[in-house]
């Protein structure tokens, strides 16, 4: 048995995190307290956008986005097959039709030309939006997609779950952070423990659009509006039970929303984690560089995540021959690599809509060879050396 037990991803919890949680625990509000607002403001600041809405998880964030953008039954929306199912499922929650576009073989991201072809080959108005995913932490060039979206009147939801602190450089040479709202109407993040910032469960929506922001706030909590001025209410003061103004207890459910709230305890943890987020990304980038250099000239490597200064490295992917052999060999040696992802269009749920093998060759070929190596800020040098050694040993 190996003395090592190395997962592909892992949260990092400190004494400061513990203290932050304990403080929140003794606050009068366990949910809907001040930590939510604080976390939202700090996160918006970190990403460089105007508004942020914290929710119970990344999937809820995606669902609220498709609701806020009014996705209707039968509307077609484009996304990538190489993602976690939630990126596509949020379209289905609103009855929309998921259209998967193939990935680019080098970046593993949704392929611009495949999206363009879909749009060109359909009448204008056939598609409502695009959900690009900053897969593995690599930023999608949203400036390019925005131009396409403007031409075809589409909205964009950026699934940035893998990419807090990820960025691309726009055509003027300006750094554009994932989720900053400059090119997408809405962006979402997840605070699942394997992600950059861990809340246990948690998610965030970021935007620069005030109307969408306000809509999201009500949808997050049952579609209820609580308005001190009374200006937003639809029922009369008299009905509400007041005399010359609405009584203080009054509120209105004006939309069908959900309980997608996050707790103060989770936000206290998120806030504490956010203080170390830059450190964590710097470590991830260092680990990526070392993997890249170690495997750069190896014949068994068909492709790898590589080195890209804007990559946030939620994952470090290798493409190899005999992926199954390598995966099992690593497991036998205490290294728990993972596969990201089984192409979404070939999940039995999506096959029922007619998707079949051969539809998206780049994504399917990628799935045959991909493996995600351990990647998290507390991965030690000794552990990473061991992972590299074992990968090379398998191919000797
Ligand atoms: C790309 C992507 N989108 C959405 C989600 C959903 O996030 P959550 O697990 O917080 O619901 C995940 C989480 O794994 C993800 O990786």
């Amino acid at each position: 048995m190996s003395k090592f037990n190395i997962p592909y991803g892992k949260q990092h919890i400190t004494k400061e995190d513990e203290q932050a949680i304990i403080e929140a625990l003794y606050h009068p509000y366990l949910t809907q307290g001040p930590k939510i607002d604080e976390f939202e403001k700090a996160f918006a600041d970190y990403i460089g956008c105007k508004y942020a809405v914290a929710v119970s998880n990344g999937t809820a964030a995606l669902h609220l986005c498709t609701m806020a953008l009014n996705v209707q039954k039968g509307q077609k929306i484009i996304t990538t097959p190489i993602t976690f199912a939630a990126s596509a499922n949020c379209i289905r929650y609103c009855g929309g039709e998921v259209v998967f576009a193939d990935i680019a073989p080098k970046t593993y991201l949704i392929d611009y030309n495949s999206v363009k072809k879909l749009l060109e080959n359909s009448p204008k108005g056939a598609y409502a939006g695009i959900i690009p995913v900053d897969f593995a932490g690599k930023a999608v060039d949203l400036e390019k997609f925005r131009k396409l979206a403007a031409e075809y009147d589409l909205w964009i939801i950026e699934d940035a779950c893998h990419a807090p602190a990820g960025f691309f450089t726009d055509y003027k040479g300006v750094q554009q952070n994932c989720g900053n709202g400059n090119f997408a109407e809405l962006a979402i993040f997840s605070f699942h423990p394997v992600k950059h910032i861990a809340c246990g469960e948690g998610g965030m929506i970021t935007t620069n659009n005030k109307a969408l922001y306000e809509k999201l706030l009500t949808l997050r909590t049952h579609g209820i509006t609580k308005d001190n001025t009374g200006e937003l209410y639809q029922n009369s003061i008299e009905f509400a039970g007041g005399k010359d103004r609405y009584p203080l207890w009054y509120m209105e459910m004006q939309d069908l929303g959900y309980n997608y709230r996050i707790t103060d305890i989770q936000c206290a943890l998120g806030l504490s984690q956010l203080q170390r987020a830059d450190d964590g990304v710097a470590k991830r980038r260092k680990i990526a560089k070392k993997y890249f250099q170690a495997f750069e000239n190896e014949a068994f490597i068909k492709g790898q995540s590589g080195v890209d200064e804007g990559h946030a490295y939620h994952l470090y992917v290798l493409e190899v021959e005999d992926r199954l052999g390598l995966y099992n060999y690593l497991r036998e040696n205490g290294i728990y690599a993972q596969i990201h992802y089984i192409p979404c269009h070939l999940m039995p749920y999506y096959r029922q809509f007619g998707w079949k093998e051969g539809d998206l060759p780049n994504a399917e070929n990628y799935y045959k060879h991909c493996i995600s190596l351990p990647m998290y800020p507390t991965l030690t040098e000794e552990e990473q050396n061991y992972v590299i050694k074992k990968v090379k040993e398998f191919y000797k």
Side-chain angles (χ1 to χ4, degrees):
M1 259 237 342
S2 163
K3 69 166 182 158
F4 290 96
N5 181 355
I6 310 175
Y8 85 91
K10 188 161 71 173
Q11 69 271 27
H12 178 213
I13 303 294
T14 63
K15 285 280 166 208
E16 287 78 22
D17 292 341
E18 191 182 314
Q19 199 49 42
I21 292 167
I22 291 169
E23 273 168 32
L25 208 49
Y26 288 100
H27 198 270
Y29 303 96
L30 282 186
T31 186
Q32 300 302 92
K35 290 293 163 195
I36 296 176
D37 199 44
E38 249 183 82
F39 186 35
E40 288 173 342
K41 288 205 165 74
F43 194 80
D45 216 41
Y46 181 66
I47 295 299
C49 65
K50 282 193 187 155
Y51 310 105
V53 180
V55 293
S56 46
N57 54 64
T59 306
L62 281 163
H63 186 194
L64 289 183
C65 288
T66 49
M67 282 178 72
L69 290 165
N70 211 16
V71 171
Q72 301 290 316
K73 192 161 183 260
Q75 264 188 346
K76 286 180 172 183
I77 288 137
I78 302 170
T79 192
T80 170
I82 298 301
T83 186
F84 184 62
S87 318
N89 294 351
C90 65
I91 301 164
R92 295 294 307 136
Y93 296 156
C94 295
E97 185 186 326
V98 182
V99 179
F100 294 101
D102 210 351
I103 61 163
K106 288 227 155 56
T107 61
Y108 317 145
L109 303 178
I110 192 166
D111 178 40
Y112 174 84
N113 290 321
S114 303
V115 175
K116 194 161 179 257
K117 215 169 173 188
L118 280 173
L119 296 168
E120 282 171 354
N121 291 342
S122 305
K124 260 202 169 161
Y127 291 89
I130 321 175
I131 306 183
V133 179
D134 301 312
F135 168 69
K138 187 169 175 66
V140 172
D141 182 343
L142 283 186
E143 189 179 34
K144 240 173 130 183
F145 278 97
R146 182 76 261 168
K147 281 190 194 138
L148 204 55
E151 202 181 320
Y152 287 89
D153 199 17
L154 309 174
W155 48 252
I156 299 177
I157 300 172
E158 177 186 8
D159 183 337
C161 279
H162 297 184
F167 64 87
F168 72 93
T169 305
D170 71 12
Y171 84 99
K172 285 185 182 148
V174 178
Q175 179 179 317
Q176 298 287 349
N177 293 347
C178 294
N180 71 3
N182 287 346
F183 303 102
E185 275 74 5
L186 296 163
I188 69 112
F189 295 86
S190 163
F191 305 128
H192 178 276
V194 294
K195 304 293 196 299
H196 291 60
I197 294 163
C199 289
E201 295 281 357
M204 192 74 85
I205 306 165
T206 56
T207 184
N208 289 335
N209 182 315
K210 189 160 186 270
L212 285 174
Y213 167 67
E214 283 169 353
K215 195 162 180 189
L216 289 165
L217 290 179
T218 70
L219 291 176
R220 167 176 72 176
T221 181
H222 305 281
I224 287 173
T225 295
K226 184 106 180 100
D227 173 24
N228 289 337
T229 67
E231 281 166 23
L232 299 178
Y233 291 146
Q234 294 172 14
N235 285 329
S236 67
I237 293 176
E238 190 188 14
F239 165 79
K243 281 195 178 127
D244 48 2
R245 57 196 294 250
Y246 288 90
L248 290 176
W249 71 72
Y250 192 68
M251 48 85 173
E252 277 184 359
M253 195 202 101
Q254 297 179 340
D255 263 317
L256 184 63
Y258 290 83
N259 176 358
Y260 281 164
R261 295 187 301 259
I262 189 167
T263 66
D264 239 34
I265 308 164
Q266 288 163 306
C267 287
L269 175 57
L271 258 173
S272 177
Q273 293 249 318
L274 193 56
Q275 314 306 313
R276 302 195 303 281
D278 277 339
D279 232 36
V281 172
K283 291 211 177 103
R284 286 173 186 271
R285 287 178 174 144
K286 198 168 155 211
I287 291 167
K289 194 166 171 194
K290 184 162 169 157
Y291 275 143
F292 175 70
Q293 286 168 349
F295 297 125
E296 196 180 4
N297 298 316
E298 295 291 346
F300 60 83
I301 295 288
K302 293 169 63 70
Q304 56 176 326
S305 288
V307 175
D308 161 5
E309 61 166 359
H311 203 305
Y313 295 107
H314 164 55
L315 304 172
Y316 195 90
V317 177
L318 294 186
E319 290 176 276
V320 292
E321 291 297 351
D322 193 9
R323 185 261 314 270
L324 175 63
L326 176 63
Y327 173 85
N328 286 336
Y329 185 73
L330 293 178
R331 274 185 85 88
E332 282 158 22
N333 286 283
I335 300 164
Y336 298 91
Q338 257 299 1
I339 306 306
H340 299 93
Y341 286 98
I342 301 160
C344 224
H345 68 293
L346 298 178
M347 288 290 177
Y349 175 78
Y350 284 103
R351 281 186 194 250
Q352 72 174 309
F353 299 104
W355 291 97
K356 56 186 188 319
E357 276 158 76
D359 281 347
L360 302 170
N362 294 344
E364 292 164 33
N365 186 52
Y366 165 82
Y367 171 60
K368 289 191 177 114
H369 302 286
C370 66
I371 184 164
S372 309
L373 294 184
M375 168 58 83
Y376 46 92
T378 53
L379 184 74
T380 65
E381 217 178 321
E382 187 196 7
E383 287 168 333
Q384 193 182 7
N385 287 339
Y386 175 73
V387 173
I388 292 168
K389 186 175 117 196
K390 288 293 160 189
V391 172
K392 289 188 176 178
E393 201 172 273
F394 176 73
Y395 288 102
K396 253 195 196 143

